Amino acid sequence: MTKINFIKSQVPTSDKNIEATLKLLSEDCTIPFISRYRKDQTGNLDEVQVENIAKLSKQYDEIVKRKESILKIIEEQGQLSPELKSKIEKSFDLQEVEDLYLPYKKKKKTRADVARENGLEPLATLILSQKNDDVDFLSTQYINKNVANKEEALQGARDIVAEWINENIAVRQSLRRLYNRKAVVTTKEIKKKTSSTNPVRVQNSDRVEINKNENSKYSQYFDWSEPLSKAPSHRLLAMLRAEKEGFIKLKIETDIDETYSLIDELIIKNANSPSISHIQLAIEDSFKRLLNPAISNETLQEAKAKADIKAIDVFASNLSQLLLAPPLGEKRILAIDPGFRSGCKIVCLDEKGDLLYNETIYPHQPQNEMAMAMKKIKSMLNAYNIEAISIGNGTASRETEFFIKKIAFDKPVQVFIVSEAGASIYSASKIARDEFPNYDVTVRGSVSIGRRLSDPLAELVKIDAKSIGVGQYQHDVDQTKLKEELDSVVVRCVNSVGININTASKHLLSYVSGIGEKLADNIVQYRTENGAFEDRKQLKKVPRLGEKAYQQGVAFIRIKDGRNPLDNSAVHPEAYPIVEKMAKDLGLNSNDLIANKEKISQIKLENYVSATIGILGLKDIVKELEKPGLDPRKSVKVFQFDSTVTSIKNVKTGIILPGIVNNITAFGCFVDIGIKESGLVHISQLKEGFVSDVNEVVKLHQHVQVKVLEVDQDRKRIQLTMVL
């Protein structure tokens, strides 16, 4: 199978598009650049499709490399027959390749190996042939110094047969299909004995006893069973976590009669053979000792991999929505990290997010310095010309919001509640220490709360995505795949929006197509030494930023109020001559064409098609000329929680509340209703009728109306519905 065919089996597009994409990737073109500026070559493949082609290309190369390694090992053993070589070379199913390799794989000495050393392989062959020979009698011929009697001879021969059955590709493939269709996952509580002389065991026992009650998040899995194929991803991951933490034992099982019947059908050729009893014993031994542990583990790992993909997809979708959340823009912001005893940490930020002033006020219990706090807030708003207030949504958030709204400001000021997720991680990070070496974590955290209001994307890229808290079971999934996917999401979001090169941090710059951490450092250093960039061509003066990096990254940076208005657009500099020609043909200069919808509508795209750019690329250019530098993100909206609900004690069944979606999972979404505990809207309660994907109905940070279905104050759980 060629690489093109391998990719095409999973990415439905033409050979030509795949070939073009692979060529661009081989030339070190980035995925954002390919999907945005090489549409005509790739047939308009989007970022996800290009990304999949890149992944499948790597996967193909890994399979080829693995096959070459296996062929070499088997050849060195002198056992590579033309037939086996052909089978391995033709297969691109890695599982099948590993099955073919299994008999030749180096492993610890097995019972079958010992039996072979004792000369029992001919007897095993005789048993497996299922002829009419009297194997019980013939077994006496294999008694030697290592085989005391015929029982030992027959046992050794059966060990060899059991291993052959285990290595039988047809058996393994049939069992896999059976397990995939009918395997059942069962869990049982692990009971631990108490012992007064062993405090660790007592502690473990206490932990199990505590979790036996209905407050335990794992109690439902103390005696659980369901078809593995129907177990939702979040439930399987929960069971695996419970097993990892020592609360339950998990098994993958199939109907034993059906399983043996399947193996019998493939192995037993002569039911009347005198050796049939030995065949059946070998089948039973092979299944219990070899096949079942291997196939059940394989099946569980496959199910886990699928659950990981689902969980990672949910996390990636949430992260994308969070990063692309509406920005307030370049405004002067007063940010508050609320608190009771420790006070509310205040920072004032300018339009660029730079720290102007910081202060701590104590408007709440136990200090109750409300009058003084009001005076300070009002003074800061006037002194620093504050335009908006950003309040973190953690402890004392609602109380702080109420306090702020009591202040009689001299001018209208918008008040926003902002998610604090990850702010504490940022405040203690090296990034924060480098940005604010002379301030403590409380000030840094407040700055993050303010900056994520003005531009969520620019601020959140500084935080490890896993710490933002918008996923499910993120610590239980494949961490390598999770990081790869989340990194891809960040790159996708940053490049879809573009960045202001004169204000972007080095962390934001590092995600720009073709840039990376080192060049981002160099760009910031150049900016510090030479002042703001005035046009895109200046990028070429940045040390170590060569032609390739310039080509890949230049169109994703923006220069506001620069020498060339096109530098504040997504038009690539390589297309500037085309824009100039379009303008000239209309009797204008480039500057007069920008945002001139009447003239732009007169452009006939077919007149500008060339060897390097086609209709798709030209359409993008015209679209950008109409609205250059337009931020694809929506505008931020002010939101107000119900002022009568400040704690779970105020939440009553049947009331309708405004809320903000603050997390999305495969089984529903969590909604912030203005108290410490978020409520759950189960997927069945999102709307009337069946919902297959939560993201079809709600998005992260969406403003919603919810009705309270159930409140459990002891367990601090709130069930909500959006079906009003």
Side-chain angles (χ1 to χ4, degrees):
M1 183 187 290
T2 65
K3 180 179 283 190
I4 299 293
N5 288 336
F6 180 78
I7 294 171
K8 194 176 176 181
S9 66
Q10 298 182 62
V11 179
T13 189
S14 69
D15 292 7
K16 180 184 175 183
N17 292 344
I18 295 172
E19 287 172 0
T21 303
L22 290 174
K23 183 175 184 296
L24 289 164
L25 288 167
S26 71
E27 294 169 353
D28 294 328
C29 292
T30 66
I31 291 170
F33 175 80
I34 293 170
S35 59
R36 182 69 173 80
Y37 297 105
R38 292 297 182 262
K39 290 181 178 181
D40 294 291
Q41 287 95 314
T42 67
N44 204 22
L45 296 179
D46 62 26
E47 281 188 325
V48 175
Q49 290 170 308
V50 174
E51 202 172 285
N52 285 339
I53 289 174
K55 287 178 182 177
L56 289 167
S57 174
K58 182 180 178 183
Q59 188 179 330
Y60 180 91
D61 292 339
E62 288 172 350
I63 292 173
V64 169
K65 186 177 179 181
R66 177 60 177 158
K67 291 201 299 181
E68 288 172 352
S69 174
I70 287 171
L71 286 168
K72 184 180 178 182
I73 291 169
I74 299 174
E75 188 172 28
E76 287 173 352
Q77 294 175 5
Q79 299 190 65
L80 185 61
S81 67
E83 182 186 9
L84 178 59
K85 183 179 180 182
S86 176
K87 284 181 179 178
I88 292 174
E89 286 179 339
K90 287 180 180 177
S91 177
F92 274 84
D93 180 340
L94 201 52
Q95 201 170 59
E96 183 181 47
V97 171
E98 294 295 344
D99 280 349
L100 290 165
Y101 174 49
L102 186 59
Y104 311 97
K105 198 172 186 178
K106 288 183 180 179
K107 46 188 177 280
K108 293 179 181 178
K109 183 178 282 191
T110 64
R111 283 161 45 175
D113 290 333
V114 174
R116 287 190 189 93
E117 290 173 1
N118 292 336
L120 296 173
E121 190 162 9
L123 180 58
T125 302
L126 191 63
I127 290 173
L128 190 59
S129 69
Q130 301 171 51
K131 295 178 181 177
N132 293 321
D133 301 292
D134 186 348
V135 294
D136 282 37
F137 172 73
L138 293 173
S139 65
T140 58
Q141 298 177 15
Y142 295 89
I143 296 172
N144 55 45
K145 64 179 182 179
N146 293 320
V147 182
N149 49 50
K150 72 173 188 176
E151 283 74 22
E152 287 189 12
L154 289 166
Q155 179 59 58
R158 289 197 297 268
D159 288 342
I160 296 172
V161 173
E163 187 168 273
W164 284 339
I165 294 169
N166 176 55
E167 294 169 352
N168 186 300
I169 292 177
V171 169
R172 295 180 77 87
Q173 289 178 341
S174 296
L175 280 179
R176 284 191 189 106
R177 286 192 290 269
L178 176 66
Y179 276 65
N180 286 335
R181 286 186 293 111
K182 297 186 176 182
V184 173
V185 56
T186 62
T187 61
K188 296 290 181 185
E189 177 191 4
I190 294 178
K191 296 183 183 290
K192 294 182 173 68
K193 296 177 181 178
T194 59
S195 169
S196 59
T197 59
N198 189 334
V200 175
R201 292 176 69 88
V202 170
Q203 183 180 355
N204 287 341
S205 177
D206 288 346
R207 182 179 67 175
V208 173
E209 289 302 315
I210 290 168
N211 282 273
K212 285 172 98 172
N213 64 40
E214 62 183 18
N215 287 339
S216 169
K217 58 184 176 180
Y218 297 133
S219 60
Q220 76 179 95
Y221 305 122
F222 287 168
D223 186 11
W224 184 264
S225 177
E226 71 175 312
L228 182 61
S229 62
K230 294 183 180 179
S233 60
H234 61 274
R235 194 146 67 219
L236 178 61
L237 291 171
M239 286 186 263
L240 289 168
R241 180 188 287 180
E243 182 182 47
K244 185 178 180 180
E245 293 182 9
F247 293 109
I248 63 169
K249 180 67 177 173
L250 183 149
K251 285 184 181 179
I252 302 297
E253 299 175 323
T254 56
D255 181 83
I256 196 67
D257 292 332
E258 186 174 1
T259 304
Y260 281 140
S261 177
L262 183 150
I263 302 173
D264 288 349
E265 189 176 334
L266 292 167
I267 299 299
I268 296 176
K269 307 301 179 187
N270 180 6
N272 298 318
S273 169
S275 63
I276 193 65
S277 61
H278 297 294
I279 291 287
Q280 289 172 330
L281 285 171
I283 287 173
E284 186 176 335
D285 175 45
S286 181
F287 176 73
K288 289 181 178 179
R289 184 167 55 88
L290 303 170
L291 284 165
N292 184 52
I295 304 299
S296 63
N297 183 60
E298 244 182 52
T299 304
L300 179 59
Q301 292 309 311
E302 283 183 16
K304 164 72 163 55
K306 289 177 183 176
D308 282 2
I309 290 170
K310 180 68 176 175
I312 290 170
D313 284 348
V314 168
F315 201 143
S317 176
N318 288 353
L319 178 62
S320 178
Q321 293 171 42
L322 190 64
L323 293 176
L324 296 178
L328 182 63
E330 295 181 356
K331 305 284 185 182
R332 289 188 161 236
I333 294 171
L334 182 146
I336 306 175
D337 184 358
F340 288 115
R341 184 177 297 277
S342 59
C344 296
K345 309 301 185 295
I346 313 290
V347 295
C348 295
L349 308 175
D350 68 12
E351 295 89 345
K352 293 182 180 180
D354 291 335
L355 178 61
L356 300 172
Y357 180 75
N358 70 280
E359 171 79 274
T360 302
I361 59 174
Y362 301 89
H364 309 308
Q365 296 285 356
Q367 293 91 340
N368 249 342
E369 298 173 357
M370 187 172 288
M372 184 184 295
M374 284 183 171
K375 184 178 179 181
K376 286 184 177 180
I377 291 287
K378 195 170 181 178
S379 174
M380 283 184 270
L381 253 74
N382 293 329
Y384 298 102
N385 199 22
I386 297 298
E387 299 167 88
I389 296 175
S390 175
I391 303 172
N393 68 342
T395 303
S397 175
R398 294 300 303 283
E399 291 81 359
T400 303
E401 180 191 10
F402 295 150
F403 154 70
I404 290 293
K405 288 184 176 179
K406 288 178 182 177
I407 303 174
F409 295 119
D410 297 333
K411 62 177 182 179
V413 178
Q414 290 181 306
V415 179
F416 299 87
I417 303 296
V418 176
S419 171
E420 289 183 8
S424 60
I425 301 294
Y426 161 78
S427 65
S429 69
K430 184 180 184 301
I431 294 173
R433 292 197 300 274
D434 290 344
E435 285 190 306
F436 301 101
N438 300 320
Y439 295 93
D440 65 17
V441 292
T442 61
V443 174
R444 298 172 198 153
S446 301
V447 170
S448 182
I449 289 169
R451 285 177 172 178
R452 62 179 63 188
L453 172 61
S454 64
D455 191 342
L457 178 61
E459 189 62 19
L460 292 173
V461 294
K462 301 174 187 176
I463 304 169
D464 179 3
K466 287 188 295 183
S467 303
I468 298 176
V470 289
Q472 57 174 353
Y473 299 100
Q474 60 260 39
H475 301 294
D476 300 286
V477 301
D478 185 309
Q479 295 300 293
T480 301
K481 289 182 179 177
L482 177 63
K483 186 179 186 307
E484 287 175 355
E485 185 60 30
L486 297 186
D487 284 348
S488 294
V489 168
V490 177
V491 168
R492 205 178 299 150
C493 291
V494 169
N495 290 284
S496 70
V497 172
I499 59 100
N500 182 337
I501 196 169
N502 288 322
T503 59
S505 68
K506 66 179 181 181
H507 315 288
L508 184 61
L509 277 164
S510 69
Y511 286 103
V512 172
S513 167
I515 300 300
E517 290 184 19
K518 183 59 182 173
L519 287 179
D521 273 334
N522 292 354
I523 289 170
V524 172
Q525 185 66 29
Y526 180 89
R527 190 174 69 195
T528 302
E529 294 172 357
N530 299 280
F533 286 85
E534 296 180 349
D535 62 43
R536 283 172 165 172
K537 288 184 288 186
Q538 276 184 269
L539 266 178
K540 293 182 177 181
K541 296 180 180 179
V542 173
R544 307 184 75 85
L545 200 153
E547 282 298 325
K548 194 66 181 183
Y550 178 81
Q551 179 202 44
Q552 300 298 303
V554 65
F556 298 102
I557 69 148
R558 307 283 183 268
I559 298 177
K560 293 185 177 181
D561 304 319
R563 293 170 183 164
N564 187 339
L566 288 174
D567 285 352
N568 192 34
S569 75
V571 177
H572 198 288
E574 66 187 11
Y576 285 6
I578 295 173
V579 176
E580 290 167 6
K581 189 173 188 308
M582 288 175 173
K584 185 178 180 181
D585 291 347
L586 291 167
L588 305 169
N589 61 43
S590 298
N591 291 1
D592 294 332
L593 180 60
I594 294 171
N596 189 334
K597 290 189 177 181
E598 181 185 348
K599 292 294 184 181
I600 290 171
S601 66
Q602 297 174 22
I603 296 172
K604 294 181 179 179
L605 297 183
E606 59 271 19
N607 294 340
Y608 303 96
V609 173
S610 67
T612 56
I613 192 162
I615 290 293
L616 294 172
L618 291 167
K619 283 182 177 179
D620 280 346
I621 290 172
V622 168
K623 184 179 177 182
E624 193 63 26
L625 288 175
E626 290 176 350
K627 296 179 179 180
L630 178 69
D631 194 320
R633 297 170 291 181
K634 296 178 181 178
S635 299
V636 67
K637 294 179 181 178
V638 175
F639 176 87
Q640 274 192 311
F641 290 113
D642 189 314
S643 60
T644 64
V645 176
T646 57
S647 76
I648 196 169
K649 293 178 182 178
N650 306 130
V651 181
K652 307 297 180 185
T653 302
I655 64 172
I656 295 175
L657 300 169
I660 301 175
V661 177
N662 62 1
N663 199 3
I664 294 175
T665 70
F667 54 85
C669 69
F670 288 91
V671 176
D672 181 358
I673 55 174
I675 60 175
K676 184 178 180 182
E677 298 80 16
S678 292
L680 171 65
V681 180
H682 189 266
I683 190 169
S684 63
Q685 296 295 327
L686 288 170
K687 69 173 187 177
E688 292 182 353
F690 177 73
V691 175
S692 60
D693 182 359
V694 179
N695 278 289
E696 292 175 357
V697 184
V698 292
K699 300 297 180 187
L700 209 60
H701 287 179
Q702 180 177 332
H703 298 177
V704 295
Q705 290 283 316
V706 292
K707 181 195 282 187
V708 179
L709 288 178
E710 184 181 337
V711 184
D712 187 334
Q713 289 194 23
D714 293 334
R715 300 168 75 188
K716 298 188 183 303
R717 291 185 180 180
I718 304 167
Q719 297 290 330
L720 305 171
T721 180
M722 287 172 54
V723 182
L724 304 180

